[in-house]
Amino acid sequence: MHTIRVNVGKGYDINIGEGLLGKVGELVSTVKSPECKAVVITDSNVAKLHLFDCQQSLRASGFDTTAVIFDAGEESKTMSMIGKILEGMAEKGVTRNDIVIALGGGVTGDMAGFAAGVYMRGIPFVQVPTTLLAAVDSSVGGKTAVDLPSGKNLAGLFYQPEMVICDTLLLETLPEEEYKCGLAEAIKTGILSDEELFRIFEEGDPKEKLPEIIARCAEYKAGVVMRDEKEKGERKLLNLGHTAGHAIEKLSNYEMKHGFAVAAGLGIIGRAASGLGYCSEETAKRIENVLLRNGLPVNTDFDDREIAEAALSDKKRSGKTITIAVPISIGNCDLKEIETDNLEEIIMLGKKALK
Ligand code: GLY
């Protein structure tokens, strides 16, 4: 088992290893005495696959356990579903002395973390990511949120878990689409900070290196979150590709999966950064090629204006300017504050094919 410490607040461990689902009870008991209820919040798909094993492990360590299950899918990430989950917790007699186990992918982590953060003004929770996307990104760092009709992740809390438990065996059997979504976020980390990681996607077989990929992504993200938990500065870098990505996701009515939209957003920001002279054309080409090699999109058919308008209704908008992350070279990115009036032109530049 590989352990990474995140020193935010009282701090927590990210545990990564094979077969950790069977050790959830043992691991959780190191942060919470088993004389309490462990309420597993999960979606209808993950419940069929992993709920039994998770609860079995919790019971074996002496926890009383119950579950709240919601319908799988981004459409569930709403305030009204949060209300149902909270009501489910209340009906099952969950108290402030109990603990939430968020078992699932990015949507589940966001929802269960949000529910734990507001239930009785906050009860502890543990992240157990079951998708690559959740393992390399969303389970770490304490961002929780739901979507509003006006945009993605517009209501949420920074609420850190007590622990993250990542069983790498669960990720080997993911549906291909789900796997590719995680690759997009991991490729993003390579572009941000780690050329050696980027090369795994450029030249190697990522499936053979999942534990290393997850550890490198978690290590980098833990560092960023420790330096800037509340996204005042450096953490904004983690939104690389997300300005256009979130807009594309929203314009597709969330039919396009988050990772695919982020991939298109990475392609767009790579080409735009090259057009603006922040990075070389070769860097933009490497970003395109690595995404294509891993079965991900690099562009979109939505037009420049609608992408810019959708992006500007996003939470990262702040007055007349917006901060975007741009690649400088592979493994090195920077933040640029741009006029919101210029966003459409930047998107236009990013949609243009490279020579
Ligand atoms: N997913 C970006 C962040 O956690 O800040």
Side-chain angles (χ1 to χ4, degrees):
M1 183 169 86
H2 184 84
T3 300
I4 297 160
R5 184 82 186 157
V6 188
N7 284 315
V8 171
K10 63 183 166 63
Y12 59 95
D13 286 343
I14 304 166
N15 294 306
I16 303 160
E18 283 191 6
L20 294 192
L21 188 62
K23 294 192 175 151
V24 163
E26 194 185 307
L27 289 165
V28 174
S29 68
T30 64
V31 290
K32 181 87 183 143
S33 155
E35 282 127 33
C36 76
K37 211 185 309 269
V39 50
V40 185
I41 302 184
T42 192
D43 73 28
S44 45
N45 289 341
V46 175
K48 285 184 216 133
L49 298 170
H50 305 305
L51 180 59
F52 179 83
D53 290 343
C54 181
Q55 290 196 295
Q56 175 115 315
S57 170
L58 288 161
R59 268 186 218 107
S61 289
F63 288 95
D64 180 13
T65 172
T66 184
V68 175
I69 301 169
F70 63 92
D71 296 337
E74 181 78 25
E75 321 73 73
S76 281
K77 235 178 96 169
T78 61
M79 284 304 277
S80 101
M81 188 59 84
I82 284 290
K84 289 186 191 153
I85 291 172
L86 295 174
E87 188 53 31
M89 291 164 76
E91 279 167 9
K92 287 175 188 216
V94 175
T95 71
R96 196 177 277 146
N97 184 41
D98 297 327
I99 189 162
V100 165
I101 312 295
L103 175 70
V107 170
T108 300
D110 279 6
M111 301 275 284
F114 188 110
V118 298
Y119 188 75
M120 295 191 170
R121 301 191 180 87
I123 70 170
F125 87 112
V126 167
Q127 289 271 19
V128 185
T130 61
T131 64
L132 185 60
L133 186 139
V136 298
D137 184 46
S138 59
S139 65
V140 176
K143 272 193 182 174
T144 76
V146 295
D147 304 333
L148 298 182
S150 298
K152 197 174 156 67
N153 293 338
L154 286 187
L157 307 164
F158 287 101
Y159 192 63
Q160 301 294 338
E162 302 294 305
M163 180 177 272
V164 180
I165 302 169
C166 177
D167 181 347
T168 54
L169 281 183
L170 307 184
L171 311 177
E172 284 176 11
T173 53
L174 282 178
E176 198 58 18
E177 218 185 37
E178 198 60 68
Y179 168 70
K180 286 184 191 164
C181 279
L183 288 186
E185 291 283 0
I187 289 170
K188 177 197 81 176
T189 302
I191 302 169
L192 282 171
S193 72
D194 189 342
E195 188 169 12
E196 218 175 293
L197 171 64
F198 188 87
R199 287 223 182 87
I200 297 178
F201 306 110
E202 218 172 22
E203 296 157 5
D205 179 358
K207 269 203 175 116
E208 284 174 3
K209 300 207 161 166
L210 287 184
E212 179 185 341
I213 291 168
I214 294 162
R216 280 177 177 269
C217 290
E219 196 91 57
Y220 167 69
K221 188 161 179 186
V224 173
V225 169
M226 285 191 275
R227 291 186 291 273
D228 179 24
E229 182 193 4
K230 300 279 168 72
E231 200 171 300
K232 302 276 184 242
E234 185 184 357
R235 189 165 179 171
K236 291 183 188 167
L237 284 169
L238 303 181
N239 296 324
L240 181 71
H242 285 59
T243 305
H246 276 170
I248 292 166
E249 207 179 346
K250 185 171 155 200
L251 290 167
S252 78
N253 288 323
Y254 299 102
E255 267 166 34
M256 182 179 267
K257 281 186 162 286
H258 178 67
F260 283 75
V262 167
L266 289 172
I268 289 170
I269 198 60
R271 286 184 298 268
S274 148
L276 292 165
Y278 293 130
C279 72
S280 65
E281 196 167 302
E282 190 213 334
T283 296
K285 199 80 206 158
R286 277 180 80 187
I287 294 173
E288 266 191 356
N289 287 344
V290 83
L291 293 166
L292 292 170
R293 181 177 189 268
N294 289 279
L296 289 159
V298 295
N299 216 332
T300 176
D301 288 336
F302 291 114
D303 78 48
D304 320 329
R305 171 159 301 180
E306 52 184 352
I307 296 172
E309 277 171 6
L312 291 174
S313 72
D314 193 281
K315 66 185 181 307
K316 289 176 287 298
R317 177 185 180 176
S318 135
K320 287 194 182 325
T321 61
I322 179 173
T323 304
I324 56 169
V326 294
I328 305 299
S329 60
I330 301 302
N332 177 26
C333 291
D334 205 354
L335 294 172
K336 302 285 171 196
E337 196 169 333
I338 57 152
E339 305 278 325
T340 49
D341 289 349
N342 293 340
L343 185 63
E344 189 181 326
E345 211 179 307
I346 292 172
I347 303 278
M348 189 174 72
L349 212 50
K351 283 195 61 196
K352 238 197 244 158
L354 294 167
K355 275 174 240 136

